[in-house]
Amino acid sequence: NKLLTVFVVADNCTDNTAKIARENGAICYERFDDVHKTKGFALQYLLEQIEKFVSTEKSTSLVVVDTFQTIRKKDTDGSYKSDYEEVRLIKELADRLSITILLVHHLRKQGDCDPLNMISGTSAIIGASDATFVLKKSKRSSDNATLYCTGRDIISRELELRFSSENCVWELLGDSIDQPILSLPREM
């Protein structure tokens, strides 16, 4: 029983994206449209493909979009309203299909004491989603990181992690629920 299916949307691609994806076992959806070329159309196309797949593969429970930026509308104005609308469309589909859609998204390079403020875009990206997880390393080369978890239906927590390059797995070092001192502001 196959537990993982990888999808690639090759949107107006003229390179070897589709070929490479298929050679590596992914299901590749190719879309060619000379009139509708922006990423907003790629987002709509991807949502349609997810809905078709889930209708035939009833055991689907998780879809990961890596990265959210690759399917965002190119002509967006960067406003709260635009960010909210894009995430709302994805959340609406997840709710309708009773699945989880995980959007991998980038952080701003500029630091902030609140990791949620580091999410690229407006706060609508957080506001429109059910939960937000931010993985923050102290340094790019560090194997240690903190995973900040918050959302409507989860207990907010901070997980201290270490990446094992031997296993390619994050190991749990500490949890703020078990050790409340982990969640105190650094100033304290």
Side-chain angles (χ1 to χ4, degrees), residues 20-167:
I20 293 168
R22 287 188 182 103
E23 286 173 356
N24 287 285
I27 294 174
C28 187
Y29 298 111
E30 293 183 83
R31 189 182 86 84
F32 296 97
D33 191 325
D34 289 335
V35 177
H36 304 105
K37 289 187 173 187
T38 65
K39 290 182 181 176
F41 293 104
L43 169 61
Q44 189 59 46
Y45 182 73
L46 176 63
L47 297 179
E48 290 167 7
Q49 299 313 312
I50 291 170
E51 189 155 19
K52 286 178 187 175
F53 181 81
V54 171
S55 71
T56 60
E57 299 293 328
K58 304 289 187 200
S59 64
T60 303
S61 59
L62 173 66
V63 173
V64 179
V65 177
D66 185 2
T67 67
F68 179 43
Q69 193 63 35
T70 62
I71 62 166
R72 297 197 70 190
K73 295 178 181 176
K74 194 175 195 174
D75 57 351
T76 185
D77 61 7
S79 68
Y80 184 96
K81 181 180 175 183
S82 295
D83 284 352
Y84 196 93
E85 181 61 17
E86 287 182 323
V87 176
R88 184 195 64 77
L89 288 171
I90 295 165
K91 182 184 178 329
E92 188 177 86
L93 177 65
D95 290 346
R96 189 170 63 251
L97 300 176
S98 297
I99 62 171
T100 298
I101 299 179
L102 176 67
L103 299 176
V104 176
H105 192 49
H106 296 283
L107 298 178
R108 294 182 295 118
K109 302 291 185 231
Q110 182 180 351
D112 195 295
C113 62
D114 182 349
L116 295 180
N117 290 338
M118 295 177 64
I119 295 173
S120 182
T122 69
S123 59
I125 292 171
I126 301 165
S129 57
D130 286 331
T132 303
F133 302 88
V134 175
L135 183 66
K136 183 179 176 188
K137 291 180 168 185
S138 57
K139 292 189 298 186
R140 183 182 295 235
S141 61
S142 177
D143 289 337
N144 290 355
T146 303
L147 181 63
Y148 299 89
C149 314
T150 189
R152 293 185 182 102
D153 301 322
I154 64 171
I155 297 170
S156 292
R157 64 198 319 168
E158 296 175 20
L159 304 174
E160 295 299 324
L161 306 171
R162 179 178 30 237
F163 185 74
S164 167
S165 53
E166 182 180 308
N167 303 344

